């Protein structure tokens, strides 16, 4: 007679503490701000709401941090409705922190020389790591990131793949605002960012609350 072996019940997920969320928001947005500064120094674009902010910046000369903050305002209602108050508050804080870091970081960090392909790859990896930190603490950079996270939570669609598709459409604007070399480097940066998310942020592999 064989005895059936019952697997032990899964341990409940441990919630992040308040200070852990606060540190994650600060570190994640600092990584993102450094990536954004590198993109801006090299005259490159990126994807998501930040990419739209760069397009407006290059077209009008308006400061990136101001445009980025304003673009996110309409998405907070959707975030509150579909993702909850806590997610919305964290996202608002992340957007505000990124806007502040992107504004003040160039005052303390100046690149004497930055090779554009290196800016594309390192900037993309930094942005991907920063977004990954935010996602794992149930936050985003607002805008398109809110929609991407909702689609992953609701339908199981991989965040990196969805983000990559949307970013591809946004980066088409690079071919109208920049020369073909910078446009292709912008695509390279977006690939580096989204591959980081696609590899490291999969439904069911990591679930933080």
């Amino acid at each position: 007679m064989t005895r059936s072996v019952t697997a032990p019940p899964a341990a409940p997920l441990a919630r992040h503490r308040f200070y852990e969320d606060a540190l994650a928001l600060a570190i994640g947005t600092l990584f993102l701000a450094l990536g954004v500064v590198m993109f801006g120094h090299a005259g490159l674009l990126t994807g998501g709401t930040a990419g739209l902010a760069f397009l407006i910046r290059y077209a009008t000369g308006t400061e990136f941090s101001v445009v980025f903050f304003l673009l996110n305002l309409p998405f907070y209602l959707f975030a509150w409705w579909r993702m909850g108050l806590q997610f919305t508050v964290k996202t608002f804080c992340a957007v505000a922190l990124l806007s502040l870091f992107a504004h003040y970081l160039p005052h303390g960090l100046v690149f004497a020389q930055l090779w554009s392909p290196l800016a594309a790859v390192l900037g993309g990896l930094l942005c991907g790591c920063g977004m990954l930190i935010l996602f794992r603490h149930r936050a985003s950079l607002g805008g398109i990131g809110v929609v991407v996270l909702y689609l992953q939570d609701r339908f199981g669609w991989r965040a990196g793949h969805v983000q990559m598709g949307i970013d591809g459409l946004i980066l088409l604007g690079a071919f109208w605002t920049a020369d073909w070399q910078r446009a292709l480097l912008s695509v390279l940066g977006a690939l580096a960012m989204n591959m980081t998310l696609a590899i490291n942020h999969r439904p069911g592999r990591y679930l933080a609350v």
Side-chain angles (χ1 to χ4, degrees), residues 28 30-40 42 44-48 50 54 111 114-133 141 160 163-164 167 171 184-200:
L30 187 57
F31 280 11
L32 281 154
L34 181 54
V36 165
V37 169
M38 295 176 75
F39 282 142
L44 306 179
L45 284 169
T46 186
F54 268 124
F111 294 104
L114 182 60
W115 191 38
S116 294
L118 188 61
V121 174
L122 287 183
L125 293 176
L126 282 167
C127 288
C129 289
M131 291 180 67
L132 181 64
I133 292 173
L141 287 179
Q163 185 83 41
M164 191 179 298
D167 289 350
L171 286 171
L184 290 178
L185 288 175
S186 297
V187 173
L188 177 62
L191 285 173
M193 178 181 68
N194 286 292
M195 285 303 298
T196 302
L197 291 175
I199 293 171
N200 295 285

Side-chain angles (χ1 to χ4, degrees), residues 132-205:
L132 181 64
I133 292 173
L134 297 184
F135 285 178
R136 289 187 171 180
H137 285 261
R138 299 296 296 162
S140 77
L141 287 179
I144 295 170
V146 173
V147 179
V148 168
L149 274 185
Y150 168 72
L151 292 175
Q152 173 162 294
D153 289 347
R154 180 68 177 81
F155 301 106
W157 297 356
R158 295 267 289 276
H161 291 169
V162 176
Q163 185 83 41
M164 191 179 298
I166 297 174
D167 289 350
L169 297 176
I170 294 173
L171 286 171
L172 288 176
F175 291 91
W176 280 270
T177 61
D179 58 75
W180 68 269
Q181 290 180 324
R182 284 190 295 172
L184 290 178
L185 288 175
S186 297
V187 173
L188 177 62
L191 285 173
M193 178 181 68
N194 286 292
M195 285 303 298
T196 302
L197 291 175
I199 293 171
N200 295 285
H201 192 68
R202 298 184 182 182
R205 174 170 289 182

Side-chain angles (χ1 to χ4, degrees), residues 10-16 204-209:
L13 292 171
R15 291 183 177 272
H16 288 123
R205 174 170 289 182
Y206 185 97
L207 181 61
V209 292

Side-chain angles (χ1 to χ4, degrees), residues 22-96:
L23 284 173
L25 291 181
I27 295 170
T29 51
L30 187 57
F31 280 11
L32 281 154
L34 181 54
V36 165
V37 169
M38 295 176 75
F39 282 142
H41 182 85
L44 306 179
L45 284 169
T46 186
T49 314
L52 292 176
F54 268 124
L55 282 174
I56 295 174
R57 174 198 170 188
Y58 294 146
T60 66
T62 307
E63 188 175 349
F64 169 86
S65 57
V66 175
V67 177
F68 179 72
F69 185 82
L70 294 177
L71 279 176
N72 277 288
L73 293 178
F75 289 92
Y76 292 128
L77 288 177
F78 177 80
W80 193 347
W81 175 48
R82 302 303 305 183
M83 307 293 284
L85 178 60
Q86 186 181 61
F87 174 87
T88 305
V89 171
K90 289 180 182 179
T91 295
F92 178 85
C93 292
V95 170

Side-chain angles (χ1 to χ4, degrees), residues 96-119:
L97 283 172
L98 177 56
S99 298
L100 288 173
F101 287 150
H103 175 76
Y104 288 107
L105 197 57
H107 294 281
L109 178 67
V110 178
F111 294 104
Q113 180 177 349
L114 182 60
W115 191 38
S116 294
L118 188 61

